[in-house]
Amino acid sequence: MNIRVSKVGTESAETVRQTGYDTFYETWHPFYTERDMDDYLRSAFVTEEIKAELADEQRFNYLLVFVDDHPVGYAKLVFHESVSEIGRAHV
């Protein structure tokens, strides 16, 4: 098994979106109604919004985690003047 973590750019927006969607659904779907889950996923994982964040490297960095070249998780790092935080991390 080969594990790799890579910082990604705008060309990976759809991969980030799909990975986030899949991992969030797999983790949380037992706790929410299907309708609530669908509403959240459609609003939280939007390719164009992710692409805009990927283009703004001063405020956002995304990392994708790959196992044997298949994306299995991601981290969204959000930078602020006074503090840096991990916005989301789903594996």
Side-chain angles (χ1 to χ4, degrees):
M1 176 178 2
N2 180 23
I3 299 172
R4 176 173 52 95
V5 177
S6 297
K7 181 180 173 209
V8 294
T10 56
E11 73 285 349
S12 298
E14 178 56 27
T15 303
V16 170
R17 186 205 67 78
Q18 189 65 55
T19 302
Y21 185 104
D22 292 346
T23 57
F24 190 91
Y25 182 84
E26 289 172 15
T27 302
W28 296 104
H29 83 273
F31 305 103
Y32 295 94
T33 66
E34 200 64 31
R35 181 176 179 192
D36 287 346
M37 182 61 70
D38 287 343
D39 288 347
Y40 176 76
L41 291 170
R42 276 190 268 118
S43 68
F45 298 101
V46 178
T47 302
E48 290 307 315
E49 290 176 13
I50 293 169
K51 187 179 278 189
E53 290 180 353
L54 284 164
D56 186 359
E57 292 186 20
Q58 296 299 314
R59 293 194 53 222
F60 302 97
N61 281 187
Y62 279 82
L63 306 173
L64 276 173
V65 180
F66 297 88
V67 173
D68 296 331
D69 292 323
H70 299 288
V72 297
Y74 79 101
K76 173 184 174 180
L77 288 77
V78 181
F79 301 102
H80 298 280
E81 284 184 29
S82 61
V83 67
S84 295
E85 65 183 73
I86 294 180
R88 289 189 194 127
H90 297 286
V91 179

